[in-house]
């Protein structure tokens, strides 16, 4: 069990993502991290793997660095695959750094996928199963696929229950979220200025009192004040909060 929070809006995402992670910290105290798309369109990531003090250490670190952007994702980790350290903390980046993902769940066939990616020249930076998602999504994005389609493509390759959020510098105004099976939910909300998603409804309460819960096999795109749901075939889903 891990915690996820994502924001796309008009304000600096950094303090908002940190506050969102505080609401879901109970889902994982082992490490914490954040990725933000800055004003130059680059993904910047800061993460810590200090066990009980990870989130507060992350908050202190981001307060002392130039980290800002209106789109960001964050993660609090309960370690399953890999030790508790900074390298195994989320978010994880693709080989080019164009994609960053945060993941909750277990990828049962990650060793098979990891071997395939290593054979293709990928050098892994962590011991986690989650990092394979970053590289699978990254390869699709590099070939010209949209971020949403790339996340779906990666999801079709994995076995197990998974919830994932992803950002890419190719589409710097959106966050994509996806749910496969029952790895823990993703709940989405919006107001006029922002859209947010999280592992837990409580993290969305500062933004809205109306929520949409992703069903297994659904994917969502959020951007400033906008939420769009799709199935894995790309068909739009209409569901009121």
């Amino acid at each position: 069990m891990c915690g996820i929070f994502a924001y796309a809006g008009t304000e600096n995402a950094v303090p908002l993502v940190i506050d969102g992670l505080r609401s879901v910290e109970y889902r994982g105290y082992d490490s914490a991290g954040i990725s933000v798309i800055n004003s130059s369109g680059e993904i910047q990531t800061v993460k810590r793997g200090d066990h009980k003090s990870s989130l507060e250490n992350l908050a202190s670190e981001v307060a002392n660095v130039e980290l800002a952007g209106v789109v960001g994702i964050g993660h609090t980790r309960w370690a399953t695959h890999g030790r508790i350290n900074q390298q195994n903390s989320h978010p994880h980046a693709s080989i080019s750094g164009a994609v960053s993902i945060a993941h909750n769940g277990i990828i049962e066939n990650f060793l098979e996928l990891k071997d395939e990616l290593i054979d293709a020249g990928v050098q892994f930076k962590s011991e986690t199963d989650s990092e394979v998602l970053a590289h699978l999504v990254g390869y699709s994005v590099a070939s010209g696929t949209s971020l949403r389609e790339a996340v779906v493509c990666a999801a079709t390759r994995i076995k197990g229950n998974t919830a994932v959020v992803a950002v890419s510098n190719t589409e710097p105004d959106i966050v994509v979220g996806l749910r496969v099976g029952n790895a823990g939910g993703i709940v989405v909300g919006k107001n006029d200025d922002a859209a947010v998603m999280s592992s837990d409804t409580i993290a969305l309460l500062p933004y809205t009192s109306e929520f949409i819960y992703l069903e297994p096999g659904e994917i969502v795109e959020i951007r400033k004040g906008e939420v769009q749901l799709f199935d894995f075939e790309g068909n739009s889903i209409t569901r009121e909060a």
Side-chain angles (χ1 to χ4, degrees):
M1 184 171 68
C2 299
I4 290 170
F5 186 84
Y7 173 91
T10 58
E11 298 183 56
N12 182 13
V14 174
L16 303 178
V17 172
I18 295 294
D19 284 345
L21 292 180
R22 289 194 173 101
S23 296
V24 297
E25 188 183 15
Y26 73 93
R27 299 177 64 90
Y29 293 96
D30 293 336
S31 64
I34 181 173
S35 287
V36 174
I37 300 180
N38 65 23
S39 59
S40 299
E42 299 172 333
I43 299 175
Q44 290 182 277
T45 299
V46 178
K47 49 190 186 178
R48 297 295 300 250
D50 310 307
H51 197 41
K52 292 292 185 181
S53 57
S54 290
L55 183 54
E56 288 313 309
N57 287 344
L58 177 68
S60 298
E61 187 166 342
V62 299
N64 294 320
V65 298
E66 293 184 7
L67 187 68
V70 296
V71 171
I73 62 175
H75 186 271
T76 61
R77 179 176 182 239
W78 177 40
T80 52
H81 293 92
R83 293 165 290 178
I84 299 170
N85 58 32
Q86 187 166 333
Q87 289 79 14
N88 291 332
S89 305
H90 298 221
H92 290 294
S94 63
I95 191 168
S96 68
V99 167
S100 184
I101 68 99
H103 170 234
N104 176 36
I106 294 176
I107 301 172
E108 296 171 3
N109 60 331
F110 89 98
L111 288 175
E112 172 188 335
L113 293 170
K114 185 173 183 178
D115 287 343
E116 176 184 319
L117 288 163
I118 290 172
D119 289 343
V122 173
Q123 293 185 341
F124 278 74
K125 297 181 179 179
S126 79
E127 303 164 317
T128 70
D129 58 338
S130 305
E131 191 182 351
V132 302
L133 274 172
H135 297 306
L136 290 173
V137 174
Y139 268 114
S140 292
V141 167
S143 70
T145 303
S146 73
L147 180 60
R148 172 165 56 88
E149 292 170 328
V151 173
V152 170
C153 183
T156 64
R157 299 288 316 280
I158 66 173
K159 297 177 182 178
N161 299 316
T162 285
V164 61
V165 295
V167 291
S168 173
N169 62 14
T170 62
E171 297 174 81
D173 62 332
I174 71 167
V175 183
V176 168
L178 176 143
R179 185 181 180 196
V180 177
N182 296 304
I186 292 182
V187 57
V188 188
K190 68 180 180 69
N191 56 35
D192 291 340
D193 299 316
V196 286
M197 71 175 98
S198 179
S199 304
D200 196 318
T201 306
I202 192 172
L204 275 59
L205 291 177
Y207 303 92
T208 183
S209 59
E210 298 181 345
F211 314 105
I212 296 173
Y213 296 89
L214 253 64
E215 299 291 338
E218 292 183 344
I219 189 165
V220 62
E221 286 184 359
I222 65 170
R223 50 171 53 83
K224 181 182 72 173
E226 185 178 337
V227 171
Q228 293 182 291
L229 293 175
F230 303 89
D231 63 24
F232 281 15
E233 284 71 47
N235 301 307
S236 180
I237 298 170
T238 300
R239 186 164 70 246
E240 297 297 326

